[in-house]
Amino acid sequence: MGELIAVLSGKGGTGKTSLCAGISTALAALGKKVLCIDCDVGLRNLDISLALCDAGALSFADVYRGGYTLSQAATHAQYPNLSFLTAPVNLRAEDVDEQAFAKMLRQARKEFDYTFLDAPAGLDAGFRLCAKYADRIILVTNPEPSAIRDAGRTGQELERMKKNSVRIIVNRVRKKLLEVTKRTIDDVMDESGLPLLGVVPEDENVTLAAAFETPLLKYSRKGAAAACKRIAKRIHGIPVPIDLR
């Protein structure tokens, strides 16, 4: 039985969607069968980070309404183990049929090793929908004080929802800035109150890969790409060190 992993953030601009794409492709490269679902209804962008803008992907609503099956989800040409469902454009998160959505996710557990739910930023209906059904939650933040505060608030909300398997990724880290501000990753963990899953450096290749419609892991082997590979291994239970190489 596979796992459902929600990728969340307390605020926008943390790089949540890019990380979701990078980690998903890294797991697919390890031979795992992966499904990515863009749950940011009305503001879908996961297809850009996956380099699937021209894939003509079905939406998750197309599937849960019964017109299509998960086997008909768009398949990545460069990562055959990776499938993708986009978010519907003419639907509000509040109007998602939760019962049908949950049924689709139960089926995804049967067909895929990992299903990633790329949630909208914030704590609204889309966040709750993804968090509710997730087996594991990745909370993405960055070292900025406002982002850390929002991560802490998000962690508290997840605790109220009785979600225990929550780990934080500190993204867009600049070592020199940490040195100047005399802050550490441990400080971020202490302030957010969450255990660490990974650290990802600030990397212009993330933007360049999206601009050239190329998956990050095909565009670069270092920086954020290397960090995504390490995080994917940790998710799969392979111990690797946390660093900013």
Side-chain angles (χ1 to χ4, degrees):
M1 189 70 73
E3 274 193 291
L4 299 177
I5 301 177
V7 186
L8 313 175
S9 64
K11 68 187 293 290
T14 62
K16 167 185 61 63
T17 295
S18 297
L19 277 184
C20 181
I23 296 167
S24 299
T25 51
L27 281 165
L30 288 173
K32 305 306 166 186
K33 194 172 182 184
V34 180
L35 173 64
C36 286
I37 305 178
D38 191 337
C39 297
D40 196 354
V41 176
L43 293 172
R44 54 187 185 178
N45 284 312
L46 184 55
D47 59 328
I48 296 175
S49 295
L50 288 170
L52 285 173
C53 292
D54 299 325
L58 298 170
S59 78
F60 67 75
D62 293 329
V63 174
Y64 81 52
R65 287 169 180 158
Y68 301 89
T69 66
L70 290 174
S71 64
Q72 293 172 284
T75 302
H76 203 294
Q78 295 170 287
Y79 296 96
N81 290 334
L82 179 63
S83 298
F84 171 64
L85 293 174
T86 191
V89 290
N90 298 316
L91 191 69
R92 299 183 307 163
E94 295 85 350
D95 297 329
V96 172
D97 185 332
E98 189 171 329
Q99 186 175 1
F101 185 75
K103 182 180 179 181
M104 179 189 71
L105 294 182
R106 287 194 295 272
Q107 185 61 35
R109 272 201 190 95
K110 298 177 182 178
E111 297 186 24
F112 296 88
D113 297 313
Y114 297 100
T115 297
F116 283 84
L117 308 176
D118 182 33
L123 303 178
D124 294 333
F127 161 89
R128 294 180 178 278
L129 185 68
C130 294
K132 180 176 181 178
Y133 296 104
D135 303 309
R136 195 188 313 200
I137 291 173
I138 297 173
L139 183 57
V140 181
T141 188
N142 60 47
E144 296 177 5
S146 61
I148 298 168
R149 177 182 291 178
D150 286 342
R153 290 174 178 169
T154 305
Q156 292 170 2
E157 182 61 28
L158 292 169
E159 187 176 358
R160 282 192 285 270
M161 295 175 69
K162 301 188 184 304
K163 308 303 290 191
N164 299 316
S165 186
V166 183
R167 298 291 183 271
I168 193 169
I169 293 178
V170 186
N171 190 30
R172 308 185 69 175
V173 175
R174 289 179 286 174
K175 291 181 70 174
K176 288 185 178 179
L177 186 59
L178 289 179
E179 292 169 0
V180 169
T181 58
K182 301 187 185 304
R183 295 176 63 83
T184 67
I185 297 301
D186 285 342
D187 292 331
V188 178
M189 292 170 60
D190 291 342
E191 292 175 38
S192 67
L194 294 166
L196 186 67
L197 177 61
V199 180
V200 183
E202 180 72 68
D203 187 353
E204 66 179 11
N205 287 314
V206 174
T207 301
L208 292 171
F212 289 112
E213 300 182 3
T214 303
L216 175 62
L217 271 64
K218 295 291 185 182
Y219 190 83
S220 173
R221 295 183 179 181
K222 57 184 181 179
C228 286
K229 291 179 181 179
R230 291 193 293 271
I231 291 168
K233 289 179 179 178
R234 285 185 213 110
I235 288 172
H236 193 55
I238 302 170
V240 291
I242 293 175
D243 59 43
L244 275 172
R245 289 179 298 171

